Amino acid sequence: MLNIVIFKWIPGRKPIKIDTNDLNQSLNFVRKIKTLPRKKVQNFNFDAVESCKSLKDITNQINFKISNLLKLKIKSSKLQHFLKFNLKPTYLNLYKEAQQSKMFKLFNTPINKEHEILSPSDFGFHNSIKNTKKIIFIDFEYFGKDDPVKLTADFVLHPGMKLKDTQKKNWLKSMIQIFKTDNYFEKRLKFLIPFYAIRWSLIVLNDFKVKNKNNYYINNKIKEDQLKKAIFFCHLVKSKKYKEWLN
């Protein structure tokens, strides 16, 4: 282990307004990942950070994050009210509905290894640099083997992404086409995407428990903004608006 890091300067800036060409480049990036030899994927020894290869993986993470937030006893009445009377009931109702589905048992077990990909994980325009019309994707620190459904869902759900509904529809439709050799990809995506939304609702609440770089607790304005995002994700699940992206 040499502990050597090589950096290369990439001129450009973070893309602000996403256009069709940008979206196509993101899809082409995924297509290249999809064409990697299966042996190369199987021989890679590491899963992506917080990989989710089954519904059980996702629910384990959700349960842990909820428990962790409650255990910390964060002094925020708004947060506590949201967790107890919005997020938890929404999640439990979603899980109860899922249990009644014929697909529950299938998707609660890990996907077949032949459908795993080497995923960049935290993938999107929030981790990219635009040089003229070319998009360069960066920051693969969470890279590893994972279900492509997680990559697909996270791309449209990530709060750092500013995509229009039509762009979300195009992305999802194209990803379903890219992974059509996985007979259950589309059904798995439709089944799991609300669980990923609940997961994101908890991820954005991390600011309630962490300190910033200067070792000061995150200020209340940021916390309020993050709570609004968490509420949005819960509403997305309760209203089932995410289904509009998949039609």
Side-chain angles (χ1 to χ4, degrees):
M1 198 69 176
L2 298 176
N3 292 322
I4 295 174
V5 178
I6 299 175
F7 292 96
K8 179 181 179 182
W9 176 257
I10 302 172
R13 61 181 60 189
K14 183 179 176 180
I16 305 299
K17 191 175 180 180
I18 307 305
D19 59 31
T20 302
N21 181 54
D22 299 333
L23 198 66
N24 287 338
Q25 288 188 64
S26 69
L27 290 165
N28 286 335
F29 188 94
V30 175
R31 289 187 183 99
K32 289 178 181 178
I33 292 172
K34 176 70 168 60
T35 58
L36 288 172
R38 291 313 308 165
K39 190 174 182 180
K40 185 171 287 189
V41 178
Q42 291 166 358
N43 289 344
F44 192 79
N45 294 324
F46 302 97
D47 287 340
V49 175
E50 290 199 339
S51 64
C52 295
K53 300 181 183 180
S54 66
L55 171 61
K56 188 175 182 180
D57 286 343
I58 306 172
T59 55
N60 283 344
Q61 290 182 24
I62 290 172
N63 292 332
F64 173 80
K65 291 177 189 297
I66 291 175
S67 175
N68 195 24
L69 276 170
L70 292 173
K71 192 188 301 180
L72 290 173
K73 296 180 180 179
I74 297 167
K75 294 179 181 179
S76 168
S77 57
K78 289 182 180 179
L79 174 64
Q80 296 299 334
H81 187 275
F82 168 71
L83 289 173
K84 293 177 183 177
F85 300 107
N86 193 343
L87 191 144
K88 282 190 74 175
T90 301
Y91 168 51
L92 292 174
N93 286 337
L94 175 65
Y95 190 77
K96 186 177 179 180
E97 286 180 12
Q99 284 180 307
Q100 296 169 357
S101 169
K102 295 178 181 178
M103 295 294 173
F104 177 79
K105 187 175 180 180
L106 176 63
F107 297 150
N108 207 37
T109 55
I111 62 169
N112 193 307
K113 290 186 180 296
E114 70 180 64
H115 296 310
E116 292 178 358
I117 61 167
L118 289 180
S119 173
S121 196
D122 191 13
F123 177 68
F125 298 112
H126 59 289
N127 277 332
S128 73
I129 296 172
K130 189 170 186 177
N131 185 347
T132 313
K133 291 187 177 182
K134 186 177 181 181
I135 298 286
I136 299 100
F137 292 100
I138 59 172
D139 195 358
F140 300 149
E141 60 181 317
Y142 299 138
F143 174 89
K145 289 192 287 191
D146 209 345
D147 182 355
V149 161
K150 181 175 184 291
L151 174 70
T152 306
D154 282 351
F155 189 90
V156 295
L157 291 170
H158 196 293
M161 298 279 281
K162 306 298 180 185
L163 298 176
K164 298 175 183 177
D165 281 352
T166 53
Q167 291 174 320
K168 291 177 181 180
K169 287 181 181 181
N170 289 338
W171 164 265
L172 294 171
K173 184 178 179 180
S174 297
M175 290 294 280
I176 290 168
Q177 182 63 26
I178 290 170
F179 292 99
K180 64 182 180 181
T181 53
D182 177 349
N183 293 331
Y184 287 103
F185 180 88
E186 183 174 359
K187 289 181 179 178
R188 196 163 71 251
L189 174 62
K190 291 179 177 179
F191 189 87
L192 296 178
I193 196 168
F195 286 95
Y196 281 115
I198 293 292
R199 182 177 174 275
W200 270 109
S201 185
L202 288 156
I203 290 173
V204 298
L205 294 176
N206 282 339
D207 282 337
F208 277 85
K209 60 183 182 180
V210 300
K211 295 181 180 181
N212 64 18
K213 294 177 182 177
N214 296 318
N215 211 35
Y216 292 108
Y217 283 102
I218 303 295
N219 68 52
N220 289 332
K221 175 65 171 65
I222 294 175
K223 289 178 182 178
E224 287 178 11
D225 289 343
Q226 296 303 81
L227 183 55
K228 286 177 183 177
K229 292 175 185 176
I231 293 170
F232 164 79
F233 283 121
C234 271
H235 177 70
L236 188 68
V237 174
K238 286 192 287 188
S239 66
K240 301 189 187 315
K241 181 175 170 56
Y242 62 87
K243 289 188 175 183
E244 296 177 7
W245 306 339
L246 289 155
N247 292 332

